[in-house]
Amino acid sequence: MRARFLFAAPLLTLAACSGGEDATDENAEMDPATAGALGEDIMVDPDRLDQSGADGALAGGDPASSAVPMDDETREQVNRAREEARQLVGGRINQAPAPGDALTRTMIAAAQAIQRGNSGVDCSQGADYSAAWADRMPEPFTVYPRGAVLEAAGNDDEGCALRVTTFTTAVPQQEVVNFYHTRARNAGFSADLMEKDGETVIGGRKGDAAYYIAVGRQADGRTKVELLARAGS
């Protein structure tokens, strides 16, 4: 049976970190359902992927299937993306603080809010898979300018407001981290950072809205970003 994944969960050792000393900021405990969902990959129904991708809405395949040299055209596209990103944050993108090496309670609480919604159900189970969800990512957690969307999903049923999008960009990893950290803080969200195995994770909340973002580097040099968010009411 063919298996594909929408979000290859970068939360990794979430269950192991949930009771650590670094978990400060929120009165949150990792429940078994959230630990299981975030400690594993969230599997996409292949039939749904085939259906949503039949019209070519989802581009891509193996994101690391070909090298992306920084030729003049690519460099020009990167510079345009950077300028559009600066405009989105009002002209200045701040350097993100150094990430820690463990999840915090803020990050765990954000993951729980995304996963469980208002009613406590597993929102990933009823997700609808379509590239259209990439355009419905809540502000300020929209796709980086000129990013190439690979997969997307969402769920607005049963108290859920789940949004998930995976995309790549030729803009370097740290610049993308700085962008999302700046956008989160400018919008009044908390923003904790963790780094593990070369991947940086940012997570936080504001009211009932929450986000969790993983930013890593592919073998071809492109930056891969996995956005998870819960739209606030």
Side-chain angles (χ1 to χ4, degrees), residues 42-122:
I42 297 175
M43 184 172 289
V44 171
D45 182 340
D47 292 334
R48 289 189 179 183
L49 269 177
D50 289 342
Q51 193 172 42
S52 64
D55 59 358
L58 295 181
D62 181 0
S65 60
S66 60
V68 182
M70 189 64 81
D71 55 20
D72 290 343
E73 182 177 355
T74 302
R75 189 172 293 106
E76 180 180 357
Q77 290 298 316
V78 166
N79 288 335
R80 289 179 178 177
R82 285 169 170 157
E83 180 57 32
E84 291 171 18
R86 280 192 291 269
Q87 292 175 7
L88 284 174
V89 299
R92 179 180 176 84
I93 298 176
N94 299 317
Q95 179 73 27
D101 58 4
L103 290 160
T104 66
R105 289 189 182 274
T106 293
M107 302 172 89
I108 293 169
Q112 288 178 329
I114 296 167
Q115 177 76 15
R116 298 188 304 192
N118 289 329
S119 58
V121 302
D122 182 354

Side-chain angles (χ1 to χ4, degrees), residues 202-228:
I202 315 169
R205 299 184 68 181
K206 183 177 75 171
D208 62 351
Y211 71 98
Y212 211 109
I213 303 172
V215 186
R217 186 175 183 272
Q218 298 186 147
D220 64 2
R222 290 181 67 86
T223 299
K224 182 178 181 181
V225 183
E226 294 170 310
L227 302 173
L228 280 85

Side-chain angles (χ1 to χ4, degrees), residues 7 9-11 103 107 110-111 114 137-138 140-144 163 165-167 173 176-184 189-195 199-204 210-216 223-230:
F7 181 64
L11 317 190
L103 290 160
M107 302 172 89
I114 296 167
M137 292 299 299
F141 308 112
T142 54
V143 174
Y144 192 94
R163 304 286 187 273
T165 297
T166 300
F167 71 92
Q173 178 180 353
V176 176
V177 170
N178 295 342
F179 169 76
Y180 281 110
H181 184 268
T182 299
R183 291 211 81 189
F189 283 81
S190 57
D192 287 4
L193 294 94
M194 178 189 76
E195 185 175 17
E199 185 173 65
T200 301
V201 179
I202 315 169
Y211 71 98
Y212 211 109
I213 303 172
V215 186
T223 299
K224 182 178 181 181
V225 183
E226 294 170 310
L227 302 173
L228 280 85
R230 175 185 173 183

Side-chain angles (χ1 to χ4, degrees), residues 8-31:
L11 317 190
L12 298 171
T13 55
L14 197 65
C17 297
S18 63
E21 295 180 359
D22 286 16
T24 58
D25 298 339
E26 296 272 358
N27 294 322
E29 295 293 337
M30 178 56 60
D31 63 87

